[in-house]
Amino acid sequence: MIKISRSVKGITSAKIIAVVIIVIIIAVAAFMLAMKPPAETTSPTVSPSPGKVLEFVYGTTQETGTFDPAKHRDETETMYVVNTYDPLLYPTKGGPPKPWVAEKWEASEDGKVWTFYIRKGIKFHSGRELTAEDVAFSMQRVLDLGTGFSFLWKGLVEKVEVVDKYTVKFYLAKPFAEFPATLIHLFIVDKEEVLKHKQDGPFGEYGDYGQAWLAEHDAGSGPYKVVEFKRGERVVLEKFEDYWAGWSPGKPDRVIILVVGEQATLVSMFKKGEVDIVEQWLPADTFEALKKEPGIVVKEDPDAKLFFVSMNNKKPPFDDVNVRKAVSYAIDYEAIIKNVFRGGVQAVGPIPVIAPGHCDEVTVYTYDIDKAKEYMAKSKYAGQTLKVQYVYVSGVAVEEQVGLIIKEGLKQIGIEVELVPEPWSRIVELVKTPETTPDMVAIFHTLKYPSPDSHTYLMFHPKAHGTYMSCMWYENDEVTQLLDQARTTLDQEERYRLYCEVTKKVTEDAAALFIINPIHRIAFRDYVKGYDYIGILGFDLRFYNLDISGKP
């Protein structure tokens, strides 16, 4: 466990005596009150809220694995977390994070000690005030569990000091210039509420850290609280009246998240007005058709997202770089961009072209079957009959369509591809070990925080292994060293140069199939106002930002 220390001021004997006297006075007063007969009571009258309850419905095909803010990893889980919890800092569109739970912060000259000053008056759903103690506990919990985005801070955060009620310090093992950017994923939990629901577990006095309970409940301070959870069916969130940022007219009072198994069913419900907004994972053709529907808005934005297909570097045949290069040349990228995604640009390495720190100086593969056959002939599997599985999210048509194009291309170089649909929650479990990770997996990797670190360290550093972002299980000592060096380099120009070197090497090694930076599309009813895509995983689905006052 990381160390949590608390600064303690000296306490005089006179102060102790004064405290004892006050306690005695309070106890006597309580006793006298208890002796009085109870006053007559009447049933409380609850005044109805003025106007109608504004109910908002989000439709998705994706089932969430957990509500636990220490375990969120993908868009769906992040969506739940950003609506029920508050992060230490909040992301902005194309810029550095802004104050949130922490209203200001500062770093020591050596970049190893970061001090954050906590906003006063933030209430948890339990009614308790959020303090520095909760911030320290939240970081300790993430690191001890070793889940979610813990790899961002594992081996980096050595100690957390609670200086006073509203001040907390993080002591790092080494400088990390992008540390504040990562803290958009440190969501603050109510320490007392979590420990009140703990069960037996391996974490000493903390038991199971409340994991079982938090899988279906919340202990947050966010704009909404969980009131109903039916796994694989629906989740109901209700407005938290005491939310620190306040409420203005038009914001949703109640949010219903519907899990619909088939995209066709979801689209039908959307057209009928049973859903207010639909997920981004619909096929491009569907969005084009929705543009023609009355009362529907399709919003399109450039996307800081990479769609890639992993190749498991630890298992045959993709443990051979020549096979990976052969496959990279056997993909019809133009067909995927034009016919499947209906727009976007071919990925130039792992960092999206509009993301901070993008590097153009990389190996970009084109559709060239002759070259593909040359590399297959160089491989240790030359002349063998090869069969691989391509796993994609069931119900996500674009991933299936990409799989069919890959299947056709690889057939020309002697590799048979089997398409295997799986629920997203199942894929997340499969990629936790190299042995269970499929040969190929279709992955959308949205920018997680505004830094090239998001599309390099999270994908190619061994400490990030075991997530969907790193499911190629790529390992290169030189790349690992470059990533470690980049993280400790305070000069941004030099830091970005190091990340560029990383992208050169991973593309030379054909670590994965870097396919496309697509267009982000989402559709909603025309009375939904205020939607803004900021390009950071799941944060656009914070429903508090919306105005649905015009909903009929």
Side-chain angles (χ1 to χ4, degrees), residues 323-441:
V323 174
R324 299 198 301 270
K325 288 187 176 185
V327 170
S328 298
Y329 280 116
I331 307 301
D332 191 341
Y333 299 94
E334 287 188 14
I336 292 173
I337 294 168
K338 182 179 178 181
N339 301 328
V340 178
F341 286 92
R342 303 285 179 170
V345 296
Q346 182 175 345
V348 180
I351 303 174
V353 293
I354 67 167
H358 171 72
C359 176
D360 285 325
E361 304 166 27
V362 301
T363 303
V364 177
Y365 296 89
T366 56
Y367 184 40
D368 189 329
I369 291 299
D370 289 336
K371 273 191 178 180
K373 289 179 178 178
E374 286 177 19
Y375 277 107
M376 278 302 296
K378 293 178 183 178
S379 78
K380 61 184 177 183
Y381 299 107
Q384 298 184 29
T385 301
L386 300 177
K387 295 182 179 181
V388 298
Q389 287 189 335
Y390 168 92
V391 173
Y392 65 98
V393 180
S394 52
V396 179
V398 291
E399 294 186 359
E400 181 182 13
Q401 292 165 14
V402 170
L404 291 171
I405 291 174
I406 288 176
K407 181 175 182 176
E408 184 62 29
L410 269 58
K411 181 180 179 182
Q412 298 181 67
I413 59 172
I415 301 177
E416 181 182 335
V417 179
E418 177 189 5
L419 272 61
V420 181
E422 292 278 9
W424 175 244
S425 55
R426 171 65 175 159
I427 291 174
V428 170
E429 289 301 313
L430 286 173
V431 299
K432 287 183 176 179
T433 69
E435 293 78 19
T436 57
T437 297
D439 303 311
M440 308 176 83
V441 186

Side-chain angles (χ1 to χ4, degrees), residues 27 117 211 264 443:
Y117 300 93
Q211 290 181 82
I443 299 291

Side-chain angles (χ1 to χ4, degrees), residues 263 280-291 298 300 336-343 397-398 401 519 521:
Q263 285 186 340
Q280 63 162 309
W281 309 115
L282 301 179
D285 286 346
T286 300
F287 281 114
E288 288 299 314
L290 287 174
K291 288 179 181 180
V298 175
E300 299 180 333
I336 292 173
I337 294 168
K338 182 179 178 181
N339 301 328
V340 178
F341 286 92
R342 303 285 179 170
V398 291
Q401 292 165 14
I519 295 170
R521 297 180 177 94

